[in-house]
Amino acid sequence: MKVRKAIIPAAGLGTRFLPATKAVPKEMIPLLDKPAIQYIVEEAVASGIEEILIITGRGKEAIENHFDISYELEDTLEKKEQKELLQIIQPLSHMANIYFVRQRMPKGLGHAVGCAKDFVGDEPFAVLLGDDLFHCSEKPCIKQLIEQYEKHEASVFALLNVAREHVDKYGVISGHKVDEGLYNIDDLVEKPSIAEAPSNLAVMGRYVFTPKIFEMIEMTPPEKGGEIQLTDAMKKLTAFEKMYGYIFNGKRYDTGYLLGYLEAVVDFALRREDIKDDFFALLKEKL
Ligand code: UTP
């Protein structure tokens, strides 16, 4: 079955980016002149996704406004004949069919994905997390996963080979290689100790799931802090269905913390035709 729908969970509190995220949703923090969530929506659209559900929460109205028509702004730009600016903002409200649902309490990523059950129905679907931005020159990361899903008709998520000293920050897999870059998942461990991690292969924020994941989320109890972890539900799914991890081709940026964010800003600026030469000269001068 074709993967037509995607979910973007964006209801988290973004505490690692305070105070910026006190009144501004983390997903609206810009990388260059575009809010982070726009890159995510563009990746989904470029991968053939037709319908997107963004999971929001209190204080996230700016995300809805960003993908809506801004009548006053468009009217003003039209009167001033600022066609270039109009061309930047007008497509935003037509990029895809974008819907919103509120997660009333931030009860974890698993719970956030569970909020999409009615929207998804009985279809496979993609999940894209806003903190993880990818630069994949050939094919968007989620497209690479969709292709693996279509080949194997089983849930699949992005994997990255991380340095051993960083495994304790991620969900880590134990599995066996079945094809180039493709691992059949036996087990998943969330933030293992460096000594106990079953591999160096860590789960990144792109997934394609069969709808069976919703049953697993419903069966997953919250942890001590009250959050339902997506990794726990994925672990359960391995007992019922095959699940794969795929080492994507491309570079991933973790924009959820300051240094990762800065690396993304620098790399994105160095790739952007209109500013890259001036920016490079500026960096050289600073260094
Ligand atoms: P994170 O834990 O990385 O995001 O969740 P966060 O909670 O916003 O950030 P910090 O750790 O406090 O800085 C991963 C993704 O899951 C979403 C977040 O918006 C983020 O995209 N999320 C998390 C939800 O939608 N709901 C939740 O209850 C938790």
Side-chain angles (χ1 to χ4, degrees), residues 8-18 21 26-27 55-56 60 103 105-113 128-132 191 227-228 254 256-257:
I8 303 177
L13 297 175
T15 52
R16 284 171 296 164
F17 241 87
L18 281 168
T21 46
K26 175 170 75 172
E27 299 73 17
I55 318 284
T56 66
K60 301 274 184 170
Q103 183 190 19
M105 300 265 280
K107 288 198 234 164
L109 178 58
H111 181 263
V113 172
L128 300 92
L129 302 191
D131 281 349
D132 283 358
K191 302 190 174 73
E227 294 205 345
I228 296 175
D254 178 2
Y257 81 114

PDB file of all heavy atoms in Angstrom, residues 8-18 21 26-27 55-56 60 103 105-113 128-132 191 227-228 254 256-257, ligand 1:
ATOM      1  N   ILE A   8       3.668  14.850  11.916  1.00  0.00           N
ATOM      2  CA  ILE A   8       4.793  15.608  12.463  1.00  0.00           C
ATOM      3  C   ILE A   8       4.452  15.955  13.910  1.00  0.00           C
ATOM      4  O   ILE A   8       3.627  16.848  14.162  1.00  0.00           O
ATOM      5  CB  ILE A   8       5.057  16.894  11.635  1.00  0.00           C
ATOM      6  CG1 ILE A   8       5.303  16.528  10.162  1.00  0.00           C
ATOM      7  CG2 ILE A   8       6.229  17.661  12.224  1.00  0.00           C
ATOM      8  CD1 ILE A   8       5.500  17.724   9.246  1.00  0.00           C
ATOM      9  N   PRO A   9       5.024  15.240  14.876  1.00  0.00           N
ATOM     10  CA  PRO A   9       4.739  15.576  16.275  1.00  0.00           C
ATOM     11  C   PRO A   9       5.448  16.883  16.643  1.00  0.00           C
ATOM     12  O   PRO A   9       6.652  17.000  16.453  1.00  0.00           O
ATOM     13  CB  PRO A   9       5.323  14.395  17.070  1.00  0.00           C
ATOM     14  CG  PRO A   9       5.590  13.327  16.056  1.00  0.00           C
ATOM     15  CD  PRO A   9       5.871  14.046  14.768  1.00  0.00           C
ATOM     16  N   ALA A  10       4.687  17.833  17.129  1.00  0.00           N
ATOM     17  CA  ALA A  10       5.275  19.140  17.444  1.00  0.00           C
ATOM     18  C   ALA A  10       4.674  19.694  18.733  1.00  0.00           C
ATOM     19  O   ALA A  10       4.506  20.896  18.877  1.00  0.00           O
ATOM     20  CB  ALA A  10       5.038  20.108  16.273  1.00  0.00           C
ATOM     21  N   ALA A  11       4.349  18.791  19.652  1.00  0.00           N
ATOM     22  CA  ALA A  11       3.679  19.249  20.879  1.00  0.00           C
ATOM     23  C   ALA A  11       4.620  19.282  22.075  1.00  0.00           C
ATOM     24  O   ALA A  11       4.217  19.617  23.178  1.00  0.00           O
ATOM     25  CB  ALA A  11       2.495  18.333  21.183  1.00  0.00           C
ATOM     26  N   GLY A  12       5.893  18.951  21.844  1.00  0.00           N
ATOM     27  CA  GLY A  12       6.855  18.915  22.959  1.00  0.00           C
ATOM     28  C   GLY A  12       7.114  20.313  23.497  1.00  0.00           C
ATOM     29  O   GLY A  12       6.831  21.321  22.845  1.00  0.00           O
ATOM     30  N   LEU A  13       7.686  20.356  24.703  1.00  0.00           N
ATOM     31  CA  LEU A  13       7.883  21.646  25.374  1.00  0.00           C
ATOM     32  C   LEU A  13       9.169  22.354  24.943  1.00  0.00           C
ATOM     33  O   LEU A  13       9.323  23.541  25.184  1.00  0.00           O
ATOM     34  CB  LEU A  13       7.890  21.447  26.894  1.00  0.00           C
ATOM     35  CG  LEU A  13       6.574  20.909  27.476  1.00  0.00           C
ATOM     36  CD1 LEU A  13       6.729  20.637  28.967  1.00  0.00           C
ATOM     37  CD2 LEU A  13       5.418  21.868  27.214  1.00  0.00           C
ATOM     38  N   GLY A  14      10.077  21.617  24.332  1.00  0.00           N
ATOM     39  CA  GLY A  14      11.309  22.241  23.833  1.00  0.00           C
ATOM     40  C   GLY A  14      12.160  22.836  24.941  1.00  0.00           C
ATOM     41  O   GLY A  14      12.755  23.910  24.787  1.00  0.00           O
ATOM     42  N   THR A  15      12.275  22.119  26.058  1.00  0.00           N
ATOM     43  CA  THR A  15      12.966  22.695  27.223  1.00  0.00           C
ATOM     44  C   THR A  15      14.456  22.929  26.982  1.00  0.00           C
ATOM     45  O   THR A  15      15.051  23.787  27.619  1.00  0.00           O
ATOM     46  CB  THR A  15      12.804  21.780  28.460  1.00  0.00           C
ATOM     47  OG1 THR A  15      13.211  20.454  28.088  1.00  0.00           O
ATOM     48  CG2 THR A  15      11.373  21.744  28.938  1.00  0.00           C
ATOM     49  N   ARG A  16      15.056  22.152  26.047  1.00  0.00           N
ATOM     50  CA  ARG A  16      16.492  22.344  25.813  1.00  0.00           C
ATOM     51  C   ARG A  16      16.779  23.658  25.090  1.00  0.00           C
ATOM     52  O   ARG A  16      17.929  24.044  24.946  1.00  0.00           O
ATOM     53  CB  ARG A  16      17.050  21.168  24.987  1.00  0.00           C
ATOM     54  CG  ARG A  16      17.227  19.911  25.799  1.00  0.00           C
ATOM     55  CD  ARG A  16      17.563  18.746  24.912  1.00  0.00           C
ATOM     56  NE  ARG A  16      16.473  18.438  23.992  1.00  0.00           N
ATOM     57  CZ  ARG A  16      16.598  17.688  22.916  1.00  0.00           C
ATOM     58  NH1 ARG A  16      17.767  17.193  22.602  1.00  0.00           N
ATOM     59  NH2 ARG A  16      15.563  17.450  22.132  1.00  0.00           N
ATOM     60  N   PHE A  17      15.743  24.326  24.641  1.00  0.00           N
ATOM     61  CA  PHE A  17      15.954  25.571  23.905  1.00  0.00           C
ATOM     62  C   PHE A  17      15.339  26.770  24.618  1.00  0.00           C
ATOM     63  O   PHE A  17      15.060  27.797  24.001  1.00  0.00           O
ATOM     64  CB  PHE A  17      15.399  25.432  22.490  1.00  0.00           C
ATOM     65  CG  PHE A  17      16.452  25.591  21.433  1.00  0.00           C
ATOM     66  CD1 PHE A  17      17.199  24.502  21.007  1.00  0.00           C
ATOM     67  CD2 PHE A  17      16.721  26.832  20.874  1.00  0.00           C
ATOM     68  CE1 PHE A  17      18.179  24.646  20.046  1.00  0.00           C
ATOM     69  CE2 PHE A  17      17.694  26.993  19.913  1.00  0.00           C
ATOM     70  CZ  PHE A  17      18.439  25.894  19.490  1.00  0.00           C
ATOM     71  N   LEU A  18      15.101  26.628  25.923  1.00  0.00           N
ATOM     72  CA  LEU A  18      14.595  27.766  26.694  1.00  0.00           C
ATOM     73  C   LEU A  18      15.716  28.802  26.831  1.00  0.00           C
ATOM     74  O   LEU A  18      16.877  28.429  26.845  1.00  0.00           O
ATOM     75  CB  LEU A  18      14.145  27.295  28.091  1.00  0.00           C
ATOM     76  CG  LEU A  18      12.774  26.619  28.127  1.00  0.00           C
ATOM     77  CD1 LEU A  18      12.531  25.935  29.470  1.00  0.00           C
ATOM     78  CD2 LEU A  18      11.655  27.629  27.854  1.00  0.00           C
ATOM     79  N   THR A  21      12.045  29.080  23.622  1.00  0.00           N
ATOM     80  CA  THR A  21      10.813  28.315  23.388  1.00  0.00           C
ATOM     81  C   THR A  21       9.731  28.580  24.430  1.00  0.00           C
ATOM     82  O   THR A  21       8.740  27.869  24.484  1.00  0.00           O
ATOM     83  CB  THR A  21      11.149  26.815  23.375  1.00  0.00           C
ATOM     84  OG1 THR A  21      11.997  26.535  24.501  1.00  0.00           O
ATOM     85  CG2 THR A  21      11.875  26.427  22.118  1.00  0.00           C
ATOM     86  N   LYS A  26       9.233  25.569  19.436  1.00  0.00           N
ATOM     87  CA  LYS A  26      10.582  25.176  18.982  1.00  0.00           C
ATOM     88  C   LYS A  26      10.612  25.001  17.463  1.00  0.00           C
ATOM     89  O   LYS A  26      11.579  25.344  16.796  1.00  0.00           O
ATOM     90  CB  LYS A  26      10.946  23.871  19.681  1.00  0.00           C
ATOM     91  CG  LYS A  26      12.244  23.266  19.250  1.00  0.00           C
ATOM     92  CD  LYS A  26      12.669  22.115  20.151  1.00  0.00           C
ATOM     93  CE  LYS A  26      11.875  20.855  19.905  1.00  0.00           C
ATOM     94  NZ  LYS A  26      12.432  19.697  20.644  1.00  0.00           N
ATOM     95  N   GLU A  27       9.517  24.460  16.934  1.00  0.00           N
ATOM     96  CA  GLU A  27       9.451  24.155  15.495  1.00  0.00           C
ATOM     97  C   GLU A  27       9.444  25.415  14.643  1.00  0.00           C
ATOM     98  O   GLU A  27       9.655  25.355  13.440  1.00  0.00           O
ATOM     99  CB  GLU A  27       8.178  23.347  15.196  1.00  0.00           C
ATOM    100  CG  GLU A  27       8.089  22.011  15.891  1.00  0.00           C
ATOM    101  CD  GLU A  27       7.792  22.079  17.397  1.00  0.00           C
ATOM    102  OE1 GLU A  27       7.324  23.143  17.878  1.00  0.00           O
ATOM    103  OE2 GLU A  27       8.039  21.089  18.089  1.00  0.00           O
ATOM    104  N   ILE A  55       0.906  17.418  15.033  1.00  0.00           N
ATOM    105  CA  ILE A  55       0.409  17.295  16.406  1.00  0.00           C
ATOM    106  C   ILE A  55       0.901  18.513  17.173  1.00  0.00           C
ATOM    107  O   ILE A  55       2.114  18.686  17.348  1.00  0.00           O
ATOM    108  CB  ILE A  55       0.945  16.025  17.118  1.00  0.00           C
ATOM    109  CG1 ILE A  55       0.925  14.801  16.205  1.00  0.00           C
ATOM    110  CG2 ILE A  55       0.256  15.798  18.457  1.00  0.00           C
ATOM    111  CD1 ILE A  55      -0.391  14.170  15.977  1.00  0.00           C
ATOM    112  N   THR A  56      -0.023  19.350  17.596  1.00  0.00           N
ATOM    113  CA  THR A  56       0.383  20.578  18.286  1.00  0.00           C
ATOM    114  C   THR A  56      -0.130  20.546  19.733  1.00  0.00           C
ATOM    115  O   THR A  56      -0.725  19.573  20.167  1.00  0.00           O
ATOM    116  CB  THR A  56      -0.167  21.831  17.591  1.00  0.00           C
ATOM    117  OG1 THR A  56      -1.586  21.818  17.708  1.00  0.00           O
ATOM    118  CG2 THR A  56       0.227  21.884  16.140  1.00  0.00           C
ATOM    119  N   LYS A  60       1.084  26.706  20.418  1.00  0.00           N
ATOM    120  CA  LYS A  60       1.715  26.348  19.140  1.00  0.00           C
ATOM    121  C   LYS A  60       0.970  26.952  17.943  1.00  0.00           C
ATOM    122  O   LYS A  60       1.122  26.491  16.814  1.00  0.00           O
ATOM    123  CB  LYS A  60       1.752  24.819  18.995  1.00  0.00           C
ATOM    124  CG  LYS A  60       2.512  24.103  20.099  1.00  0.00           C
ATOM    125  CD  LYS A  60       3.999  24.031  19.793  1.00  0.00           C
ATOM    126  CE  LYS A  60       4.727  23.226  20.871  1.00  0.00           C
ATOM    127  NZ  LYS A  60       6.104  22.932  20.522  1.00  0.00           N
ATOM    128  N   GLN A 103      -2.442  17.650  21.122  1.00  0.00           N
ATOM    129  CA  GLN A 103      -2.155  16.704  22.196  1.00  0.00           C
ATOM    130  C   GLN A 103      -2.360  17.530  23.471  1.00  0.00           C
ATOM    131  O   GLN A 103      -1.608  18.472  23.724  1.00  0.00           O
ATOM    132  CB  GLN A 103      -0.707  16.218  22.077  1.00  0.00           C
ATOM    133  CG  GLN A 103      -0.333  15.182  23.110  1.00  0.00           C
ATOM    134  CD  GLN A 103       1.174  14.891  23.123  1.00  0.00           C
ATOM    135  OE1 GLN A 103       1.980  15.687  22.631  1.00  0.00           O
ATOM    136  NE2 GLN A 103       1.550  13.785  23.699  1.00  0.00           N
ATOM    137  N   MET A 105      -1.982  17.134  26.667  1.00  0.00           N
ATOM    138  CA  MET A 105      -0.880  17.175  27.640  1.00  0.00           C
ATOM    139  C   MET A 105       0.343  16.561  26.951  1.00  0.00           C
ATOM    140  O   MET A 105       0.186  15.567  26.240  1.00  0.00           O
ATOM    141  CB  MET A 105      -1.209  16.295  28.850  1.00  0.00           C
ATOM    142  CG  MET A 105      -2.452  16.687  29.589  1.00  0.00           C
ATOM    143  SD  MET A 105      -2.044  17.742  30.957  1.00  0.00           S
ATOM    144  CE  MET A 105      -1.498  16.541  32.141  1.00  0.00           C
ATOM    145  N   PRO A 106       1.531  17.111  27.171  1.00  0.00           N
ATOM    146  CA  PRO A 106       2.717  16.513  26.537  1.00  0.00           C
ATOM    147  C   PRO A 106       3.093  15.198  27.226  1.00  0.00           C
ATOM    148  O   PRO A 106       3.987  15.144  28.061  1.00  0.00           O
ATOM    149  CB  PRO A 106       3.795  17.589  26.703  1.00  0.00           C
ATOM    150  CG  PRO A 106       3.345  18.422  27.846  1.00  0.00           C
ATOM    151  CD  PRO A 106       1.861  18.301  27.975  1.00  0.00           C
ATOM    152  N   LYS A 107       2.375  14.140  26.875  1.00  0.00           N
ATOM    153  CA  LYS A 107       2.585  12.851  27.550  1.00  0.00           C
ATOM    154  C   LYS A 107       3.543  11.948  26.781  1.00  0.00           C
ATOM    155  O   LYS A 107       3.412  10.731  26.790  1.00  0.00           O
ATOM    156  CB  LYS A 107       1.239  12.147  27.715  1.00  0.00           C
ATOM    157  CG  LYS A 107       0.345  12.800  28.769  1.00  0.00           C
ATOM    158  CD  LYS A 107      -0.735  11.833  29.198  1.00  0.00           C
ATOM    159  CE  LYS A 107      -2.103  12.457  29.041  1.00  0.00           C
ATOM    160  NZ  LYS A 107      -3.188  11.517  29.069  1.00  0.00           N
ATOM    161  N   GLY A 108       4.440  12.555  26.042  1.00  0.00           N
ATOM    162  CA  GLY A 108       5.478  11.762  25.379  1.00  0.00           C
ATOM    163  C   GLY A 108       5.216  11.557  23.896  1.00  0.00           C
ATOM    164  O   GLY A 108       4.091  11.696  23.404  1.00  0.00           O
ATOM    165  N   LEU A 109       6.310  11.184  23.195  1.00  0.00           N
ATOM    166  CA  LEU A 109       6.240  11.015  21.746  1.00  0.00           C
ATOM    167  C   LEU A 109       5.292   9.876  21.352  1.00  0.00           C
ATOM    168  O   LEU A 109       4.550   9.999  20.376  1.00  0.00           O
ATOM    169  CB  LEU A 109       7.660  10.753  21.208  1.00  0.00           C
ATOM    170  CG  LEU A 109       7.796  10.494  19.727  1.00  0.00           C
ATOM    171  CD1 LEU A 109       7.238  11.648  18.906  1.00  0.00           C
ATOM    172  CD2 LEU A 109       9.264  10.256  19.358  1.00  0.00           C
ATOM    173  N   GLY A 110       5.300   8.789  22.119  1.00  0.00           N
ATOM    174  CA  GLY A 110       4.399   7.667  21.814  1.00  0.00           C
ATOM    175  C   GLY A 110       2.955   8.128  21.873  1.00  0.00           C
ATOM    176  O   GLY A 110       2.150   7.865  20.965  1.00  0.00           O
ATOM    177  N   HIS A 111       2.633   8.871  22.908  1.00  0.00           N
ATOM    178  CA  HIS A 111       1.276   9.379  23.068  1.00  0.00           C
ATOM    179  C   HIS A 111       0.928  10.350  21.927  1.00  0.00           C
ATOM    180  O   HIS A 111      -0.187  10.328  21.392  1.00  0.00           O
ATOM    181  CB  HIS A 111       1.132  10.060  24.432  1.00  0.00           C
ATOM    182  CG  HIS A 111      -0.233  10.600  24.696  1.00  0.00           C
ATOM    183  ND1 HIS A 111      -0.550  11.924  24.489  1.00  0.00           N
ATOM    184  CD2 HIS A 111      -1.367  10.001  25.101  1.00  0.00           C
ATOM    185  CE1 HIS A 111      -1.824  12.111  24.782  1.00  0.00           C
ATOM    186  NE2 HIS A 111      -2.344  10.962  25.156  1.00  0.00           N
ATOM    187  N   ALA A 112       1.900  11.190  21.551  1.00  0.00           N
ATOM    188  CA  ALA A 112       1.669  12.164  20.459  1.00  0.00           C
ATOM    189  C   ALA A 112       1.324  11.420  19.160  1.00  0.00           C
ATOM    190  O   ALA A 112       0.362  11.777  18.466  1.00  0.00           O
ATOM    191  CB  ALA A 112       2.897  13.043  20.258  1.00  0.00           C
ATOM    192  N   VAL A 113       2.088  10.379  18.855  1.00  0.00           N
ATOM    193  CA  VAL A 113       1.804   9.610  17.625  1.00  0.00           C
ATOM    194  C   VAL A 113       0.430   8.954  17.747  1.00  0.00           C
ATOM    195  O   VAL A 113      -0.353   8.921  16.782  1.00  0.00           O
ATOM    196  CB  VAL A 113       2.920   8.558  17.360  1.00  0.00           C
ATOM    197  CG1 VAL A 113       2.542   7.636  16.208  1.00  0.00           C
ATOM    198  CG2 VAL A 113       4.241   9.266  17.052  1.00  0.00           C
ATOM    199  N   LEU A 128       7.785  12.160  11.049  1.00  0.00           N
ATOM    200  CA  LEU A 128       8.992  12.981  10.914  1.00  0.00           C
ATOM    201  C   LEU A 128       9.127  13.859  12.145  1.00  0.00           C
ATOM    202  O   LEU A 128       8.191  14.612  12.468  1.00  0.00           O
ATOM    203  CB  LEU A 128       8.924  13.878   9.667  1.00  0.00           C
ATOM    204  CG  LEU A 128       8.792  13.200   8.301  1.00  0.00           C
ATOM    205  CD1 LEU A 128       7.332  13.043   7.904  1.00  0.00           C
ATOM    206  CD2 LEU A 128       9.506  14.025   7.239  1.00  0.00           C
ATOM    207  N   LEU A 129      10.251  13.757  12.844  1.00  0.00           N
ATOM    208  CA  LEU A 129      10.456  14.592  14.027  1.00  0.00           C
ATOM    209  C   LEU A 129      11.189  15.879  13.657  1.00  0.00           C
ATOM    210  O   LEU A 129      12.155  15.849  12.900  1.00  0.00           O
ATOM    211  CB  LEU A 129      11.274  13.849  15.087  1.00  0.00           C
ATOM    212  CG  LEU A 129      10.714  12.524  15.586  1.00  0.00           C
ATOM    213  CD1 LEU A 129      11.495  12.056  16.804  1.00  0.00           C
ATOM    214  CD2 LEU A 129       9.233  12.633  15.913  1.00  0.00           C
ATOM    215  N   GLY A 130      10.705  16.951  14.250  1.00  0.00           N
ATOM    216  CA  GLY A 130      11.207  18.278  13.896  1.00  0.00           C
ATOM    217  C   GLY A 130      12.649  18.547  14.284  1.00  0.00           C
ATOM    218  O   GLY A 130      13.311  19.371  13.657  1.00  0.00           O
ATOM    219  N   ASP A 131      13.158  17.878  15.303  1.00  0.00           N
ATOM    220  CA  ASP A 131      14.531  18.161  15.752  1.00  0.00           C
ATOM    221  C   ASP A 131      15.570  17.619  14.797  1.00  0.00           C
ATOM    222  O   ASP A 131      16.710  18.073  14.785  1.00  0.00           O
ATOM    223  CB  ASP A 131      14.805  17.475  17.090  1.00  0.00           C
ATOM    224  CG  ASP A 131      14.195  18.248  18.233  1.00  0.00           C
ATOM    225  OD1 ASP A 131      13.767  19.383  17.996  1.00  0.00           O
ATOM    226  OD2 ASP A 131      14.141  17.694  19.333  1.00  0.00           O
ATOM    227  N   ASP A 132      15.203  16.593  14.049  1.00  0.00           N
ATOM    228  CA  ASP A 132      16.160  15.970  13.145  1.00  0.00           C
ATOM    229  C   ASP A 132      15.972  16.530  11.745  1.00  0.00           C
ATOM    230  O   ASP A 132      14.933  16.317  11.116  1.00  0.00           O
ATOM    231  CB  ASP A 132      15.944  14.447  13.098  1.00  0.00           C
ATOM    232  CG  ASP A 132      16.499  13.755  14.332  1.00  0.00           C
ATOM    233  OD1 ASP A 132      17.074  14.449  15.177  1.00  0.00           O
ATOM    234  OD2 ASP A 132      16.364  12.531  14.442  1.00  0.00           O
ATOM    235  N   LYS A 191      18.253   4.733  25.321  1.00  0.00           N
ATOM    236  CA  LYS A 191      19.384   5.297  26.076  1.00  0.00           C
ATOM    237  C   LYS A 191      20.125   4.273  26.943  1.00  0.00           C
ATOM    238  O   LYS A 191      20.164   4.375  28.174  1.00  0.00           O
ATOM    239  CB  LYS A 191      18.896   6.477  26.934  1.00  0.00           C
ATOM    240  CG  LYS A 191      18.234   7.570  26.104  1.00  0.00           C
ATOM    241  CD  LYS A 191      17.978   8.829  26.892  1.00  0.00           C
ATOM    242  CE  LYS A 191      17.451   9.938  26.032  1.00  0.00           C
ATOM    243  NZ  LYS A 191      16.076   9.821  25.580  1.00  0.00           N
ATOM    244  N   GLU A 227       5.382   9.844  30.721  1.00  0.00           N
ATOM    245  CA  GLU A 227       5.467   9.870  29.252  1.00  0.00           C
ATOM    246  C   GLU A 227       5.371   8.464  28.654  1.00  0.00           C
ATOM    247  O   GLU A 227       5.941   7.511  29.198  1.00  0.00           O
ATOM    248  CB  GLU A 227       6.804  10.490  28.811  1.00  0.00           C
ATOM    249  CG  GLU A 227       6.924  11.960  29.168  1.00  0.00           C
ATOM    250  CD  GLU A 227       7.876  12.714  28.260  1.00  0.00           C
ATOM    251  OE1 GLU A 227       8.662  12.080  27.547  1.00  0.00           O
ATOM    252  OE2 GLU A 227       7.821  13.956  28.262  1.00  0.00           O
ATOM    253  N   ILE A 228       4.654   8.367  27.535  1.00  0.00           N
ATOM    254  CA  ILE A 228       4.611   7.092  26.807  1.00  0.00           C
ATOM    255  C   ILE A 228       5.672   7.175  25.712  1.00  0.00           C
ATOM    256  O   ILE A 228       5.620   8.067  24.855  1.00  0.00           O
ATOM    257  CB  ILE A 228       3.207   6.848  26.210  1.00  0.00           C
ATOM    258  CG1 ILE A 228       2.193   6.710  27.362  1.00  0.00           C
ATOM    259  CG2 ILE A 228       3.202   5.603  25.316  1.00  0.00           C
ATOM    260  CD1 ILE A 228       0.757   6.581  26.910  1.00  0.00           C
ATOM    261  N   ASP A 254      21.072  17.384  14.459  1.00  0.00           N
ATOM    262  CA  ASP A 254      20.199  17.394  15.634  1.00  0.00           C
ATOM    263  C   ASP A 254      20.038  18.846  16.076  1.00  0.00           C
ATOM    264  O   ASP A 254      20.884  19.395  16.786  1.00  0.00           O
ATOM    265  CB  ASP A 254      20.838  16.554  16.750  1.00  0.00           C
ATOM    266  CG  ASP A 254      19.988  16.567  18.014  1.00  0.00           C
ATOM    267  OD1 ASP A 254      18.910  17.191  17.994  1.00  0.00           O
ATOM    268  OD2 ASP A 254      20.402  15.945  19.004  1.00  0.00           O
ATOM    269  N   GLY A 256      17.897  20.053  18.043  1.00  0.00           N
ATOM    270  CA  GLY A 256      17.238  20.179  19.349  1.00  0.00           C
ATOM    271  C   GLY A 256      18.161  20.693  20.441  1.00  0.00           C
ATOM    272  O   GLY A 256      17.724  20.959  21.547  1.00  0.00           O
ATOM    273  N   TYR A 257      19.464  20.791  20.156  1.00  0.00           N
ATOM    274  CA  TYR A 257      20.374  21.384  21.150  1.00  0.00           C
ATOM    275  C   TYR A 257      21.271  22.389  20.442  1.00  0.00           C
ATOM    276  O   TYR A 257      21.401  22.362  19.208  1.00  0.00           O
ATOM    277  CB  TYR A 257      21.141  20.291  21.907  1.00  0.00           C
ATOM    278  CG  TYR A 257      22.341  19.734  21.196  1.00  0.00           C
ATOM    279  CD1 TYR A 257      23.620  19.945  21.697  1.00  0.00           C
ATOM    280  CD2 TYR A 257      22.214  19.005  20.014  1.00  0.00           C
ATOM    281  CE1 TYR A 257      24.734  19.441  21.043  1.00  0.00           C
ATOM    282  CE2 TYR A 257      23.316  18.493  19.364  1.00  0.00           C
ATOM    283  CZ  TYR A 257      24.577  18.725  19.878  1.00  0.00           C
ATOM    284  OH  TYR A 257      25.676  18.234  19.216  1.00  0.00           O
TER     285      TYR A 257
HETATM  286  P1  UTP B   1      11.744  15.728  22.344  1.00  0.00           P
HETATM  287  O1  UTP B   1      11.723  15.207  23.722  1.00  0.00           O
HETATM  288  O2  UTP B   1      13.014  15.728  21.603  1.00  0.00           O
HETATM  289  O3  UTP B   1      11.184  17.197  22.259  1.00  0.00           O
HETATM  290  O4  UTP B   1      10.620  14.986  21.496  1.00  0.00           O
HETATM  291  P2  UTP B   1      10.762  18.231  23.321  1.00  0.00           P
HETATM  292  O5  UTP B   1      10.064  17.598  24.468  1.00  0.00           O
HETATM  293  O6  UTP B   1      10.005  19.273  22.604  1.00  0.00           O
HETATM  294  O7  UTP B   1      12.170  18.852  23.663  1.00  0.00           O
HETATM  295  P3  UTP B   1      13.034  18.991  24.982  1.00  0.00           P
HETATM  296  O8  UTP B   1      13.679  17.652  25.179  1.00  0.00           O
HETATM  297  O9  UTP B   1      12.113  19.392  26.089  1.00  0.00           O
HETATM  298  O10 UTP B   1      14.002  20.072  24.627  1.00  0.00           O
HETATM  299  C1  UTP B   1      10.767  14.597  20.134  1.00  0.00           C
HETATM  300  C2  UTP B   1       9.609  15.095  19.311  1.00  0.00           C
HETATM  301  O11 UTP B   1       8.368  14.674  19.863  1.00  0.00           O
HETATM  302  C3  UTP B   1       7.482  15.757  20.048  1.00  0.00           C
HETATM  303  C4  UTP B   1       8.371  16.991  20.129  1.00  0.00           C
HETATM  304  O12 UTP B   1       7.654  18.122  19.697  1.00  0.00           O
HETATM  305  C5  UTP B   1       9.530  16.621  19.213  1.00  0.00           C
HETATM  306  O13 UTP B   1       9.233  16.919  17.869  1.00  0.00           O
HETATM  307  N1  UTP B   1       6.717  15.518  21.303  1.00  0.00           N
HETATM  308  C6  UTP B   1       7.361  15.172  22.429  1.00  0.00           C
HETATM  309  C7  UTP B   1       5.348  15.641  21.258  1.00  0.00           C
HETATM  310  O14 UTP B   1       4.743  15.964  20.213  1.00  0.00           O
HETATM  311  N2  UTP B   1       4.649  15.410  22.407  1.00  0.00           N
HETATM  312  C8  UTP B   1       5.267  15.064  23.561  1.00  0.00           C
HETATM  313  O15 UTP B   1       4.561  14.859  24.569  1.00  0.00           O
HETATM  314  C9  UTP B   1       6.647  14.935  23.573  1.00  0.00           C
END
